[in-house]
Structure formats: C-alpha cells, structure tokens
Amino acid sequence: MKAWQLNRITDLSTDFKPLALADLPLPVPAGKEILIRVSCCGVCHTELDEIEGRVAAPSYPITPGHQVVGRVEKLGGDATQFKIGDRVGVAWIGWACGQCDQCKAGLENLCNQFKATGRDLQGGYAECMAVNEHFSYAIPPVFSDVEAAPLLCAGAIGYRSLRLSGLDNHRPLGLMGFGASAHIVLKLSQYLYPDSPIVVFARSEEERSFAISLGARWAGKPDDTPPVRPLAIIDTTPSWNAMVCSLEHLEVGGRLVINAIRKESSDQNALLTLHYPKHLWMEKEIKSVANITRDDITQFLKIASEIPLLPEVQTYSFNDANKALLDLKHKHVKGAKVLVW
C-alpha cells in the first residue's frame, strides 16, 4: 500500500518535501484490531509540530495523520465492535492503559502511557491502517467522509476546550486564532450558548471576514480592543504573543484555555512583556488542553450530528500531502484541510 512517511525532524521553512511516499506491506489486524481502508484524513497543525520536532515521534519512520475516515476492510480475530463495510473514524487518542489513576478518573487523555495516532502509532496518511476497535468511532450518517474528518480532532478538541472554559450562556466568548478548530468552536458555541456574543482575534483580514460571515459579533487583530471583555478565551494559535494578548483582553475572573499541543519558540520573548496587574491579577486563570478522551469524541459527534455542524473544508489529493502541510504552515487557513484518496 502507499503511505506517506516522516523519516526525520526537519525545518519546513527550508524543506518543502518533509514526507516521503513509500510502498508498505498491508497491515494485518490482530486481536481487537480492525483494518481500515482510508478514504480521507484531516491535516492538523499537530503534524507541523511533529515534523519540526516540537512533538517528536519516539521512532522513525512514522506515518502521520489522526483525523481518519474510512471503511472496515478486515477484522482481527477478537474484533466484534464493527462489521466489514462499516464507516469508522480514528482520532488522536490511539491507546490508553485503562488502569492508572488518570484513566480510572475519566482522564485517559492524561495517561502516562498515552499513545497518539500518527505519532506513537502509524496514522492515516496511508491507503490502509490497522487500529484497535475500541479507539475507533462510528461516523453519523449526516456527515460526508470529508466533513467528518476534521470533527475527529479539530472539532472534538474544540469541544473539550469549550467545556474547560466554564462558559455560561450570555457570557462573552473570545477565540484567539481562527483556523480549523476555532471555526468549529464558533459554530458549536452558537448552538450551546446562543446568547453569548463571540469575538474573534485573528491576524489576517481573510480570517476576520470569515469569522464575521459565520456570525461572530466582532473580529479584530490580536492586540485590538474588543467591544466586550470575554469571560473565556480559547487560544488555538502557536504564538506566545497571542497568549499575552488574550490575558490582557480577559474579563476579571476569566479563563484562558490554550488549545495547542505546543507553542513555537519564534516569539517566546513576548512572555517578558507580562505585567502582573494587567495580565494575571484579579483571579484570571490559564488552563491548557492536553490530548483528548474517547468520550470527548463520541459526545461531540453526537452533538455535531444534531445541529448539524458542517465544517468548512478545503480538500487536497492524497498525492499533495506535502503541499497541504506547507499551505497550513505558510498560508492563512480558512476552515480545515483534508487529504482525499
């Protein structure tokens, strides 16, 4: 089968072909595994973090991709959850132990043996993949394959971020950055908190206009002053300056939720501008989002199918995986990007 592989950490500012196309043996599902014939896979900023070494794989080569949609082609000997031909999705959480204190508390995303699809386990930038059936999800019929793919990470992690924000209806929500996850959060929050005004901070005019077109009350640059102070801001950017700006914009007693697996080092000096009375005093809080649970995914897919929440998607051919990654790195994003076979 054909699969894209990352063979080493590299710099996307100089390396325009970070992934190499390889011919690999077809995986053989064992035990509780199922073999999935992949139809599409979302392109996530986490892949950029993997390629550039901020979230490095434990070994190489590795096939990235963790927003996978396909159909079951073969069952392992002990697999009973799905049947051949079923449409399924695979997300970032590829395995957790189920036995540690975190797992028993419903926090399998914090398991110290957590394994991520496309980093620790082979991912979905491939024609086929094998995955444990207990870390696979039935896709609601309201979504096409391409619509479903971004919901498995950008959507589900956005749902977790929104829950962690502690937002109540009527209270303002801020979104710092407006890419794949943030545009889904905007649509989700309009459903869950219909009376909460949403303000968006984004660097590009295209992203700000996109946010307004989807119903944002206001959109400005990261350091612009919004018409209302959000009680919660969800930051989906790789920028430290965006975090500092968010803290300044927060209402007293507000919470900043950082929905990013890593921040980039290019503007880390922005932290030196933190001014305690302005950015942190008055009981402002910062909370990170770490990984995701299976419950996040199943709960979000159910809510998204009820709305129905349909993401804005730009598609790329499977053969253009490197182009999709470079576009995500160097160009402004409108909605989500998905590789299609």
Side-chain angles (χ1 to χ4, degrees), residues 20 52 92 103 161 215 217 284 302 311-312 321:
E52 295 186 319
W92 176 249
C103 284
S161 301
R217 176 77 60 87
K284 293 182 180 181
K302 182 178 184 297
E312 308 288 329

Side-chain angles (χ1 to χ4, degrees), residues 239-267:
S239 164
W240 290 101
N241 183 63
M243 187 189 84
V244 174
C245 290
S246 296
L247 288 169
E248 182 174 354
H249 297 320
L250 267 183
E251 180 60 280
V252 298
R255 177 177 292 177
L256 169 61
V257 178
I258 302 177
N259 174 5
I261 196 166
R262 292 292 187 273
K263 291 285 190 178
E264 297 181 3
S265 61
S266 58
D267 70 339

Side-chain angles (χ1 to χ4, degrees), residues 173-175 178 182-183 186-187 189-190 196-201 207-220 227:
L173 171 68
L175 300 175
F178 203 67
H183 96 282
L186 186 147
K187 293 184 176 189
S189 61
Q190 288 171 328
S196 289
I198 301 169
V199 296
V200 171
F201 306 90
E207 290 168 338
R208 295 193 294 271
S209 297
F210 182 39
I212 293 295
S213 74
L214 294 182
R217 176 77 60 87
W218 172 90

Side-chain angles (χ1 to χ4, degrees), residues 16 35 44 71 80 104 129 150 163 185 194 212 265 283 299:
F16 303 137
L35 180 68
C44 181
R71 282 153 184 81
T80 59
K104 290 178 179 179
M129 67 181 296
R163 287 199 300 108
V185 171
I212 293 295
S265 61
E283 300 189 352
Q299 290 170 14

